[in-house]
Amino acid sequence: MQILNIDGLPPRTSKGELARLLIEDGNLRRNHIGRIITKGHGATVEITGGDLNQLVTLLDGNLVGTRQIRVWTDAESMHGEIDHFDKLLGWLALEATAETNVHKRNIGSGNRLALEKSIRHLVIRSEDVGLGGKLLIKLGPRNETKALPWSRLTSGVPVILSEETPAKNESPKVWRGIISRINKETVEIALSRLPESESLTFRIDAADDEVGRERMKRALSRAIAAKNDRLADLRAVLLGDMEPTFYRDVLPKPQFDTFTEGLNAAQKISVKHALSASDVAIIHGPPGTGKTTTVTALIRAAVAQKESILACAPSNLAVDNIAERLLAHGINIVRIGHPIRILESLHAVTLDALAEKNGDYQLAKKLRREAGGLQTDANRWKRAKPEKGEKASMRREAREMLDEARKLEAMAVEQVLNGAQVILSTLTGIDSAILGQRQFDLCIIDEAGQATEPAAWIPLVRSNRVVLAGDHQQLPPTILSDDARRDGFGISLQERLVNLDATPKSLLSKPVAKRLDVQYRMHRDIMAFSSAEFYDDTLLADRSVAGHLLSDLAGVDKTPLTSCPVTFIDTAGASYDEEWEKSSRSRKNEQEATLAIKKAQSLIDAGLPQAKIAIITPYSAQVGHLRDRLAAEGLTDIDLGSVDGFQGREKEAVIISLVRSNPDGEIGFLAEQRRMNVALTRAKRKLIIIGDSATITADEFFGRMLTWIENVGGYQSVWEEM
């Protein structure tokens, strides 16, 4: 038995319709068709005979209704053919299990951050059926006069619905879904199956996107199954089995100079390198080096070459950042994704907004309204007995109207996408139901160092070549499974290729990566340690920032704190002991928090506005404690967050609370050096670090950090504060 995958199907495609497709278009005998499982816009079919490769050739790209479908063989049926992809699939399975375990652990834990991403004590109010046959479950507080508690949950967020009162001696049952609507009183979730349960109440928790994980698995399946085509060649290059080439024509010099005007030498070299790549190129952008500016110039140049472009990133914010830059340059863009997750400034260029302006779409809306009226009339009881067959006729006419509406909507979407110079989406937001068989000349993945490799393959399977932009020396992808992380799941595609670049016996005779080397954010002394530790001491501070200090800002007094770039306050021996916070399963340090607030207040007293200060820390419990303390002090304009949440951001002054202080020299995940690289490179003019040298120097990395601080004259004992 073999497995056939089908994606991009119209809503409510029946198993009978799929069987007819296989028989009539795929020339398959009926007795060769096994079990058919439909799920959303996709389906899997067990094939018990016939030529599977020929079947894929016959069906892939066929039009079903208004959509071109994608068809490929299942990766698991080819297990072992490509070991690398087998590993990726295995890690995805481990990650799914880890996510479920984290959810179960958080239930009832009182975890502060978990509570902000959950709603508890809900009852089911109603059930309905929406598009694609999805069950819509509306939930709300038991007391209908009460509002929902505040949470970070919004429309479009994937969630887990779970029992709060499971049967005795049983684990809570869980169901995955997506929030379709949420208001002050109720929350509606789209589920694939009815939550059969006798539980009195339920809870909703934010979850990783299962739809995204399924798209990753499908992309990996297609990558494995590729034979004698462009995807197979690209796969060979990305696995290091074939040498990449760099012989594509680049724009003539006058045009190239137009798009790269204002860029430094390294940025121009990176753009030219990426334009000339036939397969893959990497733009390595250390902190503050203008990576997004370089990527924007690359996309503009590629647009001038009449290339079709798909621009992606792991997060909505990173995608929106590129979209805003392109929009400012007059590029015709279409942003795919749920509008609720997209910056308001970009709503006008979302696929939804642009399609709605289309005449076909407006006609489709009219047909839907009329169909809805017919369905209502058909279901309404009337005093006079209707004519025989009248209601059936009305329902049939309504169905025909809805079918026509779907065709018109698809035409509107197709017209919008055809008119775009650049289509933008998150990696997991790429949907075959929208893009169909669309292929792109160039795929650009920004913040590629933060994306898991399976996510990167979602756009790769529909692209002729790829440019990865990011920094693998900053935060890696977020991985929940310790087993998967230890085995290598945290290594992004960008990091793997850069490592392959550096292998002496590599087939890559010409490096695929170009590093940007001039940074425009930090004082030279703030930059120095990161440059030496992570970037071979190659970074240069542009002269516009090399010597800038807080005291150079208008309205800021010259004080010992504002007239030097780096300060480390050593709390060793002062009993600034860390504490374990059971409710958050994290650590905090109250004395460090007090000192951090004191230093922030000193900066404010010197004339620096609160909004130009950030306090960051690696520990969620410390974030929560600081949030309460800052609110009590009226310092709510100070930017507060975790190190992970601050990647890609910057402030004039940054205060870091390291938290760890114990007699055993245990530093936990402070040992993740890339996390510290992020923390140390967020400040523009002033970096203040608070930590216990006796604890942190158990790690050699922090020993080198303290040497750097002493060399720039930034060391200070906490006893000097007393």
Side-chain angles (χ1 to χ4, degrees):
M1 182 187 70
Q2 295 176 301
I3 301 296
L4 191 75
N5 277 309
I6 305 175
D7 196 16
L9 292 167
R12 296 188 294 278
T13 301
S14 69
K15 294 179 181 179
E17 290 171 317
L18 288 173
R20 282 196 297 275
L21 173 72
L22 295 167
I23 294 168
E24 295 174 5
D25 293 358
N27 296 331
L28 197 66
R29 294 180 181 179
R30 184 178 294 275
N31 62 351
H32 288 166
I33 302 173
R35 185 172 57 164
I36 299 176
I37 300 174
T38 58
K39 187 175 184 180
H41 297 293
T44 57
V45 184
E46 294 178 355
I47 305 298
T48 58
D51 186 336
L52 199 63
N53 290 328
Q54 182 183 19
L55 185 62
V56 170
T57 302
L58 290 171
L59 295 181
D60 191 35
N62 274 24
L63 202 64
V64 176
T66 58
R67 295 178 175 175
Q68 279 186 309
I69 60 171
R70 311 205 78 157
V71 180
W72 69 97
T73 52
D74 185 43
E76 293 182 4
S77 68
M78 305 175 69
H79 188 79
E81 183 172 326
I82 301 181
D83 290 341
H84 179 71
F85 289 97
D86 287 340
K87 282 185 178 180
L88 295 179
L89 287 165
W91 291 335
L92 282 177
L94 288 173
E95 192 70 357
T97 300
E99 180 198 332
T100 301
N101 291 339
V102 167
H103 168 71
K104 289 180 178 179
R105 186 171 65 240
N106 281 341
I107 292 178
S109 70
N111 183 312
R112 180 199 298 264
L113 296 179
L115 290 176
E116 291 180 355
K117 297 182 179 181
S118 68
I119 306 176
R120 299 183 296 169
H121 312 315
L122 299 171
V123 296
I124 295 177
R125 294 271 184 85
S126 64
E127 301 167 5
D128 199 357
V129 179
L131 289 177
K134 291 288 186 183
L135 281 164
L136 300 178
I137 308 297
K138 185 177 289 186
L139 302 104
R142 184 187 296 274
N143 185 339
E144 295 190 16
T145 64
K146 285 190 174 182
L148 292 173
W150 179 87
S151 76
R152 297 180 186 273
L153 300 178
T154 58
S155 297
V157 170
V159 293
I160 292 177
L161 173 70
S162 57
E163 299 176 316
E164 281 190 316
T165 53
K168 189 176 181 180
N169 298 324
E170 289 188 12
S171 298
K173 294 178 182 177
V174 298
W175 301 266
R176 293 180 178 273
I178 294 178
I179 294 179
S180 53
R181 290 188 184 88
I182 186 168
N183 54 38
K184 291 181 179 180
E185 292 80 29
T186 60
V187 55
E188 184 181 78
I189 306 176
L191 300 172
S192 298
R193 58 191 176 93
L194 184 70
E196 297 178 1
S197 169
E198 296 182 4
S199 178
L200 298 176
T201 58
F202 299 83
R203 64 181 284 160
I204 296 169
D205 294 88
D208 283 349
D209 192 349
E210 187 187 19
V211 172
R213 188 153 41 236
E214 286 299 317
R215 288 174 181 165
M216 293 183 214
K217 290 165 67 176
R218 290 177 185 177
L220 295 177
S221 298
R222 291 197 63 231
I224 290 177
K227 292 181 180 178
N228 303 319
D229 60 9
R230 180 57 190 149
L231 178 55
D233 291 341
L234 189 58
R235 178 189 66 202
V237 171
L238 295 178
L239 292 181
D241 296 330
M242 183 185 296
E243 185 174 350
T245 58
F246 295 85
Y247 56 72
R248 289 178 52 83
D249 291 335
V250 179
L251 286 170
K253 190 176 187 307
Q255 279 185 285
F256 181 81
D257 290 345
T258 298
F259 295 117
T260 58
E261 185 178 2
L263 270 59
N264 63 45
Q267 291 171 330
K268 289 181 179 180
I269 289 171
S270 294
V271 172
K272 190 171 184 178
H273 179 68
L275 286 174
S276 68
S278 302
D279 310 289
V280 58
I282 295 173
I283 298 175
H284 180 192
T289 54
K291 170 182 60 64
T292 305
T293 299
T294 307
V295 168
T296 303
L298 167 63
I299 294 175
R300 292 175 62 210
V303 166
Q305 293 185 153
K306 307 297 183 185
E307 293 190 79
S308 57
I309 301 166
L310 177 62
C312 314
S315 70
N316 280 290
L317 189 60
V319 177
D320 289 347
N321 192 15
I322 298 174
E324 286 189 315
R325 301 283 189 102
L326 295 175
L327 202 57
H329 284 288
I331 303 296
N332 187 357
I333 67 173
V334 175
R335 175 69 163 93
I336 294 175
H338 198 298
I340 201 75
R341 294 181 169 187
I342 297 171
L343 291 177
E344 190 173 349
S345 60
L346 295 170
H347 281 185
V349 294
T350 60
L351 179 60
D352 301 61
L354 293 170
E356 197 162 353
K357 294 179 181 179
N358 187 281
D360 287 334
Y361 192 89
Q362 292 299 320
L363 181 55
K365 285 179 68 174
K366 181 181 178 182
L367 286 171
R368 283 190 179 277
R369 284 195 299 269
E370 292 176 1
L374 283 171
Q375 288 173 328
T376 300
D377 288 344
N379 294 329
R380 183 179 295 150
W381 288 96
K382 296 182 180 179
R383 187 167 298 176
K385 185 177 180 180
E387 294 289 331
K388 185 177 180 180
E390 180 183 352
K391 289 194 173 186
S393 176
M394 294 168 71
R395 293 190 180 100
R396 184 170 57 253
E397 186 178 353
R399 285 195 299 271
E400 291 171 354
M401 284 183 174
L402 289 174
D403 286 341
E404 182 63 22
R406 279 192 288 271
K407 291 178 183 177
L408 290 169
E409 287 167 350
M411 289 171 59
V413 167
E414 189 70 10
Q415 289 170 28
V416 169
L417 294 177
N418 286 341
Q421 292 173 302
V422 183
I423 294 173
L424 299 105
S425 170
T426 59
L427 296 169
T428 56
I430 296 170
D431 187 356
S432 291
I434 294 173
L435 294 179
Q437 289 285 97
R438 194 176 296 269
Q439 290 289 126
F440 296 88
D441 298 318
L442 173 63
C443 167
I444 293 174
I445 302 178
D446 195 19
E447 301 296 354
Q450 294 182 60
T452 62
E453 184 168 338
W457 279 97
I458 299 175
L460 283 174
V461 298
R462 55 173 71 245
S463 306
N464 292 334
R465 59 196 185 97
V466 61
V467 174
L468 306 172
D471 182 12
H472 57 283
Q473 297 289 13
Q474 295 188 59
L475 285 174
T478 300
I479 307 297
L480 294 178
S481 168
D482 291 335
D483 289 341
R485 186 190 300 108
R486 281 191 293 267
D487 203 25
F489 195 28
I491 299 174
S492 65
L493 176 61
Q494 175 178 341
E495 183 177 3
R496 182 170 66 75
L497 290 176
V498 169
N499 291 339
L500 195 62
D501 240 4
T503 304
K505 295 182 179 180
S506 168
L507 294 176
L508 308 184
S509 61
K510 186 171 184 179
V512 298
K514 296 293 182 183
R515 182 191 290 162
L516 306 180
D517 58 12
V518 180
Q519 66 86 16
Y520 300 87
R521 174 187 299 162
M522 296 165 276
H523 187 286
R524 67 171 76 85
D525 288 349
I526 298 175
M527 174 202 75
F529 179 68
S530 179
S531 177
E533 195 73 19
F534 298 98
Y535 307 108
D536 306 315
D537 210 14
T538 58
L539 295 189
L540 299 170
D542 186 73
R543 62 182 180 180
S544 63
V545 302
H548 67 182
L549 297 165
L550 289 180
S551 56
D552 298 329
L553 293 172
V556 177
D557 299 333
K558 189 171 184 178
T559 70
L561 200 60
T562 63
S563 56
C564 69
V566 180
T567 300
F568 177 82
I569 304 176
D570 189 356
T571 66
S575 298
Y576 277 36
D577 298 331
E578 66 185 65
E579 299 175 55
W580 171 256
E581 188 178 78
K582 186 177 180 181
S583 64
S584 64
R585 301 176 64 84
S586 181
R587 298 179 190 274
K588 65 180 180 180
N589 190 315
E590 295 186 5
Q591 293 96 329
E592 272 196 16
T594 299
L595 184 54
I597 294 171
K598 179 182 177 182
K599 303 316 289 184
Q601 187 62 61
S602 296
L603 295 176
I604 295 166
D605 293 342
L608 186 66
Q610 290 185 37
K612 294 187 177 182
I613 303 170
I615 302 177
I616 61 176
T617 176
Y619 290 92
S620 60
Q622 187 77 334
V623 172
H625 179 66
L626 279 163
R627 182 183 294 118
D628 295 341
R629 294 283 301 277
L630 289 171
E633 298 283 344
L635 301 176
T636 53
D637 287 338
I638 291 177
D639 205 340
L640 171 68
S642 67
V643 174
D644 295 32
F646 224 78
Q647 181 154 328
R649 302 173 62 195
E650 60 186 34
K651 286 289 180 178
E652 298 290 352
V654 173
I655 303 169
I656 305 172
S657 171
L658 295 180
V659 176
R660 300 310 298 263
S661 180
N662 59 74
D664 302 316
E666 293 181 357
I667 63 171
F669 61 63
L670 283 188
E672 170 51 77
Q673 296 177 9
R674 288 180 290 186
R675 179 174 281 107
M676 287 311 304
N677 186 31
V678 172
L680 297 171
T681 56
R682 301 306 97 195
K684 297 167 71 174
R685 299 169 187 261
K686 180 67 182 185
L687 174 65
I688 300 173
I689 308 167
I690 303 172
D692 181 343
S693 64
T695 299
I696 64 174
T697 52
D699 187 298
E700 293 180 359
F701 171 85
F702 287 99
R704 295 192 295 273
M705 186 187 81
L706 281 180
T707 299
W708 153 65
I709 289 167
E710 289 169 350
N711 288 340
V712 298
Y715 180 85
Q716 177 182 327
S717 171
V718 72
W719 298 106
E720 298 174 41
E721 296 287 322
M722 297 179 178

